[in-house]
């Protein structure tokens, strides 16, 4: 089955700096890669996703890049703000897989003032 | 907006008890999932279901069972709770019909403590 590794487990940045979280996956059949954000005490929510026919996708201050050859994808947050502090999970699945996601172990991002 | 509701936010049970965790979604989603969340281990899939009365094992099904008698309701059952099942349990639903929408919607979670 699919295995997703995520690094780092914790990340601390100064407000305004950029943050990068990296994930690798094992199954070459995977072609859908979402990122979920979980604020303290709240449910995980989808913030951005990318499919394997695209190399990069942006949404305001967040972007995701995908390298199919190397089987890794990354989340980039620019101009970080305190409200970006949360746990971020990457995940992988394949189209037609019925929403069945394999998640990474999570990254605790702390944005310090 | 999609709502996924878990019946309890916090639950305390004793070792050996039978435990039911209930999840209801209101968007007519085909697919429902139970995940377990532990620090440093991320979200691990316990069981999932693509249809009424249908169930599939996830990555860590041991010690758990599920029931889906109605489309909107997916129950997780711990037949005999053990202390190593103390965890946050998250239910999720999604509808990937047509393979366009892959988004998962999560419930608020149930923090289960087994003493």
């Amino acid at each position: 089955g699919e295995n997703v590794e995520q690094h780092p487990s914790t990340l601390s940045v100064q407000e305004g700096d950029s943050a990068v979280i990296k994930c690798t996956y094992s199954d070459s059949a995977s072609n859908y890669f979402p990122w979920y954000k979980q604020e303290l005490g709240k449910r995980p929510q989808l913030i951005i996703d990318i499919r394997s026919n695209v190399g990069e996708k942006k949404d305001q201050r967040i972007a995701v890049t995908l390298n199919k050859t190397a089987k890794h994808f990354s989340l980039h947050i620019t101009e970080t703000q305190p409200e970006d502090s949360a746990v971020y999970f990457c995940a992988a699945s394949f189209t037609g897989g019925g929403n069945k996601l394999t998640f990474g172990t999570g990254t605790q991002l702390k944005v310090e003032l | 907006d999609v709502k996924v509701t878990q019946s309890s936010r916090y639950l305390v049970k004793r070792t050996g008890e039978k435990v039911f965790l209930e999840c209801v979604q209101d968007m007519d989603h085909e697919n429902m999932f139970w995940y377990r969340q532990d620090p440093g281990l991320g979200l691990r899939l316990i069981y999932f279901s693509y249809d009424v009365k249908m169930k599939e094992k996830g990555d860590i099904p041991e010690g758990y069972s599920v029931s889906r008698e109605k489309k909107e309701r997916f129950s997780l059952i711990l037949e005999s709770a053990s202390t190593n099942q103390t965890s946050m349990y998250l239910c999720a639903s999604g509808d990937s019909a047509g393979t366009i929408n892959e988004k998962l919607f999560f419930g608020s979670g149930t923090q289960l403590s087994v003493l």
Side-chain angles (χ1 to χ4, degrees), chain B residues 7-43:
Chain B
S7 54
S8 303
R9 187 73 178 94
Y10 299 96
L11 211 51
V12 180
K13 297 292 181 179
R14 296 206 175 275
T15 302
E17 279 193 78
K18 190 169 186 176
V19 182
F20 292 86
L21 302 184
E22 306 286 347
C23 176
V24 177
Q25 49 95 2
D26 66 356
M27 281 302 291
D28 201 36
H29 283 167
E30 299 287 340
N31 309 328
M32 296 189 75
F33 305 82
W34 275 105
Y35 284 91
R36 172 176 170 161
Q37 182 176 10
D38 299 287
L41 297 178
L43 302 171

Side-chain angles (χ1 to χ4, degrees), chain A residues 58-88:
Chain A
K58 285 185 179 180
D59 183 2
Q60 299 183 354
R61 295 186 299 106
I62 61 174
V64 58
T65 58
L66 171 66
N67 183 327
K68 283 175 56 180
T69 303
K71 293 185 191 168
H72 67 71
F73 56 111
S74 300
L75 178 71
H76 304 255
I77 306 174
T78 58
E79 301 173 23
T80 53
Q81 301 169 4
E83 53 265 38
D84 295 328
S85 294
V87 178
Y88 292 81

